[in-house]
Amino acid sequence: MNPKTTEEDILSSIEGFSRAVEGEAPLLSEVKLAQGIKEVKEEAQRIEALKEQGKTIRISTGFNFLDQYLNKGFKPGQLIVLAARPSVGKTAVMLQMAKTAALSDNPVLLFSLEMTCHELCERLLFSTGKVSPYKMADGEVEWQTFMEAENELSPLPIYINDFSRSLDEIVSRMTRAVKQGRCKIAFIDYLGLIQDTLNPGYNKLYQIIAKITGDLKAVAKRLGIPIVLLCQLNRDQAREKRAPELFDLRDSGSIEQDADVVIMLEPRYEEGRIFAWLRKNRNGKRDLAFVLVPNKTYSAFEEGLPVHELRTPCSISESGNDDSSD
């Protein structure tokens, strides 16, 4: 009715309007056990059929260690948290995961609330090892190798959104992309910059964070896609020079509660590498870590040995399961 209303205004209000009209769980009823088992059987049959075609229902993380302990990768409906202190490499790890997913013909929707689309595209070009950021900045681009990198990346189904800021606009864009077949996995960089405009009464940060993570988990289940959410760790972990733990997740314990998987990055600058810790895994082992070795531009990583094979003093339990699983 308002002629000044933009498309972005409409999109950002869709999710909240639907909840207000329909309620949180419209037309849902309890599921009988027999029906639930039937659905599990149908999924197993679907996985079997996909395997015969050389495909899988899960999406590879791009790292063999994680794929092994996450049962072949990220599963539809999961909320995955990738956490680190600023400038450790979580955006670069995210881009490597996104590129791996796209290489397997899984459309990727990437929400960047911190970096521009231009910056992310530069990082992806640098990750190929064929484009030098130093030569590009100096105006000495080697166009032959640039075109090789361009031809390698351009066909990938990666869609970048660097303008959405509110939770509802992100969810609305994500919902539309899934319906249009342009999203099988979504990445959000990062949690601390998401605006929750529907709940102005939430004046405490932990309440806002809890609302956002709870909603994203519900959206992942409803849309049937994994959502990878980047977030920051508090300063204690860096100050105390120790491996990150779940209680280091910044601003709210709800992040730990709502996430199915939590991956934390620990920099070892003196060693020129990063330890990637699997701190939560709702359906398997946790408190495991492996080594990531960055390239010269810190835009891609080679996977090294599991940390326990390096005989580090870090405490690792390979037998533990997530106590929050129920």
Side-chain angles (χ1 to χ4, degrees):
M1 300 291 290
N2 185 347
K4 294 183 179 180
T5 300
T6 65
E7 179 186 3
E8 286 71 20
D9 294 331
I10 296 172
L11 284 169
S12 64
S13 65
I14 288 174
E15 196 69 17
F17 180 74
S18 298
R19 284 201 299 266
V21 173
E22 301 176 348
E24 292 292 340
L27 306 178
L28 295 182
S29 60
E30 291 76 13
V31 177
K32 189 177 180 181
L33 176 60
Q35 177 62 29
I37 293 175
K38 181 180 178 182
E39 292 175 0
V40 172
K41 179 181 178 181
E42 289 173 351
E43 180 178 288
Q45 291 172 334
R46 187 163 63 252
I47 293 172
E48 190 175 45
L50 286 171
K51 184 177 181 181
E52 293 177 357
Q53 302 171 28
K55 300 178 181 180
T56 174
I57 195 171
R58 291 179 180 255
I59 298 177
S60 172
T61 66
F63 301 104
N64 293 328
F65 181 91
L66 281 177
D67 283 351
Q68 176 185 350
Y69 287 100
L70 296 178
N71 299 320
K72 302 295 185 180
F74 299 139
K75 182 181 179 181
Q78 286 186 326
L79 176 63
I80 300 100
V81 168
L82 175 61
R85 290 292 300 151
S87 302
V88 169
K90 55 183 180 294
T91 299
V93 171
M94 174 196 73
L95 289 176
Q96 189 158 332
M97 290 177 171
K99 182 178 175 181
T100 299
L103 284 169
S104 298
D105 296 323
N106 293 297
V108 173
L109 181 57
L110 202 161
F111 293 93
S112 177
L113 284 76
E114 184 176 33
M115 301 178 68
T116 65
C117 177
H118 182 89
E119 290 172 314
L120 293 180
C121 290
E122 278 187 338
R123 285 202 176 196
L124 283 167
L125 285 167
F126 300 153
S127 73
T128 65
K130 298 173 181 177
V131 179
S132 166
Y134 315 109
K135 290 186 177 181
M136 180 178 288
D138 201 33
E140 297 181 359
V141 179
E142 296 177 355
W143 290 110
Q144 179 61 39
T145 54
F146 184 98
M147 292 176 63
E148 291 174 5
E150 181 182 13
N151 293 335
E152 177 184 323
L153 294 173
S154 292
L156 298 182
I158 297 178
Y159 302 88
I160 300 172
N161 177 319
D162 66 354
F163 52 85
S164 295
R165 288 292 179 269
S166 72
L167 174 62
D168 285 287
E169 185 175 357
I170 289 171
V171 172
S172 298
R173 294 275 178 178
M174 197 183 300
T175 301
R176 186 168 67 171
V178 169
K179 291 180 178 179
Q180 294 175 345
R182 294 187 294 111
C183 177
K184 286 288 184 68
I185 181 171
F187 295 83
I188 304 174
D189 184 9
Y190 64 97
L191 172 62
L193 296 178
I194 299 176
Q195 301 171 6
D196 182 27
T197 55
L198 283 186
N199 294 274
Y202 289 177
N203 53 12
K204 296 186 182 298
L205 184 57
Y206 75 87
Q207 292 177 313
I208 297 173
I209 296 296
K211 171 68 167 52
I212 292 173
T213 57
D215 277 9
L216 287 176
K217 172 56 183 174
V219 168
K221 291 172 62 179
R222 176 167 62 82
L223 297 181
I225 63 169
I227 296 177
V228 181
L229 176 65
L230 276 61
C231 73
Q232 291 189 4
L233 298 174
N234 61 39
R235 294 185 178 88
D236 293 343
Q237 178 262 326
R239 186 187 304 119
E240 297 169 9
K241 297 182 179 180
R242 55 172 172 77
E245 301 283 353
L246 287 173
F247 55 76
D248 291 312
L249 288 168
R250 189 171 178 177
D251 299 324
S252 177
S254 68
I255 305 173
E256 173 188 351
Q257 178 64 34
D258 293 326
D260 297 284
V261 175
V262 176
I263 302 162
M264 294 179 160
L265 305 181
E266 176 196 2
R268 295 292 182 100
Y269 296 119
E270 68 281 0
E271 303 171 20
R273 58 190 182 184
I274 294 172
F275 285 2
W277 290 87
L278 180 59
R279 282 304 192 194
K280 181 176 181 181
N281 182 12
R282 197 180 292 277
N283 298 311
K285 295 180 179 179
R286 60 178 174 83
D287 293 332
L288 306 163
F290 67 102
V291 174
L292 294 178
V293 181
N295 63 2
K296 292 181 179 180
T297 60
Y298 219 81
S299 56
F301 300 88
E302 291 288 337
E303 187 175 1
L305 292 171
V307 171
H308 63 85
E309 292 186 16
L310 300 177
R311 298 182 180 178
T312 66
C314 298
S315 174
I316 302 175
S317 168
E318 288 200 45
S319 58
N321 286 320
D322 194 334
D323 294 336
S324 65
S325 177
D326 52 29

